[in-house]
Amino acid sequence: MHLAYPAVLAALLFCTGLYGVLARRNAILVLMSVELMLNAVNLNLVAFDVWLRDTLHAGQALTLFVIAIAAAEIGIGLAIVLMVYRNRGTSDIDRLRDSVESDATDEAAARSVATGSAEARAEAGAPAKNAEATA
């Protein structure tokens, strides 16, 4: 068997996974793309192990470790995505980043209203009391 066939297939799988990581905005699709990239690496490990005729089968052993780590990664990743979805109502990566930034300014605005301090208003982006009085 030629090494080129599995190597080309693994390269295509890896490029597809890389495109999915860079282009998708859904967290679950990003996790699936990472799994696709890991499977491309596994295919390369097994193909090179067969091509080199390794007596220890180190490529296959390393593939088993990668599969175990990938299973743990997807379990923890899905748990995090489900908790974020329950708390925020979306798994869109851009919205999650924007909501974190807006939550920080909302909390600062709430602090400025509660304390009435000019520093908290400046942190929230609101004008100070003196500026309101002079305007």
Side-chain angles (χ1 to χ4, degrees):
M1 177 174 89
H2 293 286
L3 184 62
Y5 299 128
V8 168
L9 180 62
L12 290 174
L13 283 174
F14 193 85
C15 290
T16 304
L18 186 64
Y19 172 76
V21 167
L22 295 177
R24 300 292 178 189
R25 296 294 168 230
N26 190 345
I28 294 175
L29 291 177
V30 170
L31 285 174
M32 289 174 58
S33 298
V34 169
E35 290 295 320
L36 198 62
M37 291 167 53
L38 287 173
N39 285 330
V41 170
N42 287 340
L43 181 62
N44 267 335
L45 285 170
V46 171
F48 277 98
D49 183 53
V50 168
W51 184 63
L52 293 173
R53 292 183 178 93
D54 187 15
T55 57
L56 294 176
H57 299 293
Q60 293 177 16
L62 190 56
T63 299
L64 290 176
F65 284 117
V66 171
I67 289 171
I69 290 171
E73 175 256 335
I74 199 70
I76 292 171
L78 281 177
I80 290 171
V81 168
L82 287 175
M83 287 305 296
V84 167
Y85 183 77
R86 284 184 187 172
N87 290 334
R88 304 278 183 181
T90 185
S91 63
D92 188 16
I93 295 172
D94 289 334
R95 287 186 184 175
L96 294 177
R97 183 178 52 224
D98 294 341
S99 67
V100 169
E101 292 170 356
S102 66
D103 287 346
T105 57
D106 291 342
E107 289 174 8
R111 258 195 325 243
S112 69
V113 170
T115 61
S117 66
E119 293 85 17
R121 277 194 192 87
E123 183 180 326
K129 284 186 179 179
N130 295 339
E132 291 175 1
T134 58

